[in-house]
Amino acid sequence: MPASRDFEEMWRDLAPVGRSASSGGYYRQPWASAETELRAWFVEQCAARGLTVETDGIGNQVAWWGDGEGPGVLTGSHLDSVLDGGAYDGPLGVVSALAALDALRDRGVTPARPIGIGVFVEEEGSRFGRACLGSRLVTGATTWDQAKELTDRDGVFLADAIAGAGLDPSAGLLSLDRVGTFVELHVEQGRDLVDRDVAVGLASEIWPHGRWRFDFAGQANHAGTTRMEDRHDPMLTYAMTALAANKQARLAGQRATFGRLAVEPNGTNAVPSLVTAWLDARASSDDALASLVAEVQRQADDRAGRDGTSLVVTPESVSGSVVFDADLAARLAALGGWPVIPTQAGHDAGILSAAGISTAMVFVRNPTGISHSPDEHAGTADCLAGVEALADVLAELAGS
Ligand code: HGY
Ligand code: MN
Ligand code: MN
Ligand code: MN
């Protein structure tokens, strides 16, 4: 049996997996080699701790420690990354969960209630476009019928990608019946803890957010012989929409990002026929999010009318406002005097909370404040402080 590894050894195990030699960023898309390797590593590390991992039909994983009675406490996060992502977003929650379990054992804690460690697949939605796909399917927020027709950028169907990773979607999904409380540790994806000069925090809420696909259709034409006034250029309509979204989000103090674009036919010397762009919008309330997206869409439609192009907008994986249990957050914050802060990042914790499971999040300081980038970082001392904080939280919730 492989030896269980301490936090820094586990972190070294993961460092090279899916890492780009050129950018230093991570490519751990679900059901592809790097992420599959990480999920196998998780099984090994659990086995080294005498834990048996249950893997469901799409790759979600859970291992339980202790056979105490009553609803268990699940902790964990995700192992997949965005394209060219950072090392910490996701894996820090899984490695810290393993290390926190070791810390509880070192402290001689025998939990009165079972403690589980879980891994949810496709949290980033970076391959099939739906954020938190694994936890959404487990909670029923998304059904298999809704998801199975999804395709990735190469046209691979979700079911085929999963089968290609050696899994059988018909084998069913994880049950959360044993889960009384879910706690996710995550690297902070902002600067709140840095600005407060503290290593650990808890989450108060997750801003509502979502993705909208904008399809701008125009008239393909020659880049040279077509006069500017005769064009119906969807790239122009897109560009003015991106400008409008940026302006509107700044004005309203919200967030709007066009980070992904697909152009057809994508040639240098032809006015495009189609430009597809994905808007990631986030706001401090459900109403503010609805107004932001409506205003961007209104301005896009107006621009399309002027450019003689057309526009179809399709909502994808929209998540409503998540406010975590304030009493639970206050009770846990008191364990370490940790601040309770909002986040604009989506998490599996948000999906489980929306499904009615009592949920908390532990944040670890990110000195760069940058995430979804190779520049994302967390110092070892802060990571170890996060492990101890998570162990304190688990001991508090699982009783001993
Ligand atoms: O996109 C998000 O907010 C998260 O990091 N998946
Ligand atoms: Mn992320
Ligand atoms: Mn994450
Ligand atoms: Mn020609």
Side-chain angles (χ1 to χ4, degrees):
M1 173 157 43
S4 69
R5 318 262 289 164
D6 70 18
F7 177 89
E8 291 179 80
E9 289 167 330
M10 288 192 278
W11 205 249
R12 281 197 296 275
D13 288 347
L14 301 191
V17 182
R19 187 169 187 272
S20 155
S22 54
S23 69
Y26 286 87
Y27 290 81
R28 295 165 167 170
Q29 273 51 60
W31 307 298
S33 60
E35 186 257 2
T36 300
E37 185 181 336
L38 290 182
R39 285 192 285 109
W41 173 89
F42 176 70
V43 172
E44 245 181 52
Q45 281 306 306
C46 285
R49 292 165 173 78
L51 305 179
T52 305
V53 173
E54 177 200 343
T55 300
D56 75 3
I58 65 170
N60 294 310
Q61 299 169 300
V62 66
W64 287 98
W65 169 46
D67 46 17
E69 291 308 309
V73 182
L74 179 67
T75 184
S77 188
H78 60 96
L79 293 169
D80 65 293
S81 74
V82 294
L83 300 171
D84 207 34
Y88 299 84
D89 176 354
L92 184 63
V94 177
V95 173
S96 300
L98 289 162
L101 187 139
D102 296 344
L104 291 174
R105 283 173 164 172
D106 292 347
R107 297 181 193 179
V109 169
T110 307
R113 296 196 283 160
I115 292 176
I117 301 180
V119 175
F120 292 105
V121 291
E122 182 64 317
E123 189 274 350
E124 295 293 0
S126 68
R127 182 170 178 186
F128 287 92
R130 296 295 184 280
C132 298
L133 184 59
S135 52
R136 284 172 184 271
L137 285 166
V138 166
T139 61
T142 297
T143 65
W144 177 250
D145 279 349
Q146 289 169 322
K148 66 184 180 189
E149 301 301 321
L150 291 174
T151 55
D152 69 8
R153 297 166 196 232
D154 301 322
V156 176
F157 280 98
L158 176 64
D160 296 335
I162 294 171
L167 297 159
D168 171 10
S170 66
L173 296 165
L174 279 190
S175 163
L176 295 176
D177 291 350
R178 293 183 74 179
V179 180
T181 311
F182 178 58
V183 183
E184 179 171 7
L185 181 143
H186 205 282
V187 66
E188 193 202 345
Q189 296 166 292
R191 297 189 49 81
D192 206 315
L193 295 180
V194 179
D195 294 345
R196 295 167 185 257
D197 194 20
V198 292
V200 172
L202 295 179
S204 57
E205 62 175 287
I206 295 178
W207 276 24
H209 59 285
R211 306 173 184 194
W212 284 261
R213 174 180 163 139
F214 281 60
D215 284 297
F216 302 93
Q219 166 71 56
N221 214 326
H222 196 293
T225 56
T226 315
R227 295 185 311 168
M228 299 312 284
E229 60 270 34
D230 294 337
R231 297 181 180 206
H232 303 296
D233 183 352
M235 187 65 86
L236 175 61
T237 314
Y238 155 70
M240 299 306 280
T241 300
L243 184 63
N246 191 288
K247 276 185 181 168
Q248 194 57 34
R250 286 171 188 269
L251 201 62
Q254 313 299 355
R255 309 284 195 276
T257 310
F258 279 104
R260 181 184 171 195
L261 206 55
V263 183
E264 288 180 23
N266 212 18
T268 308
N269 58 349
V271 175
S273 54
L274 178 68
V275 173
T276 301
W278 281 265
L279 169 68
D280 177 312
R282 313 199 183 200
S284 48
S285 72
D286 293 310
D287 288 350
L289 180 63
S291 330
L292 171 62
V293 175
E295 178 56 20
V296 172
Q297 185 164 351
R298 188 194 65 77
Q299 293 195 35
D301 283 331
D302 175 66
R303 185 71 212 189
R306 289 159 60 185
D307 296 340
T309 54
S310 65
L311 169 63
V312 173
V313 179
T314 315
E316 295 181 353
S317 70
V318 181
S319 298
S321 169
V322 167
V323 178
F324 291 115
D325 179 334
D327 295 338
L328 175 61
R331 175 181 155 208
L332 299 179
L335 296 175
W338 305 311
V340 183
I341 59 177
T343 181
Q344 293 77 32
H347 297 282
D348 293 312
I351 303 300
L352 269 67
S353 177
I357 292 175
S358 173
T359 301
M361 286 195 76
V362 177
F363 286 132
V364 171
R365 174 168 46 192
N366 168 353
T368 69
I370 295 173
S371 184
H372 286 185
S373 154
D375 295 337
E376 177 185 89
H377 186 67
T380 302
D382 286 351
C383 292
L384 296 176
V387 168
E388 289 305 312
L390 182 59
D392 294 347
V393 164
L394 295 174
E396 169 74 12
L397 293 173
S400 53

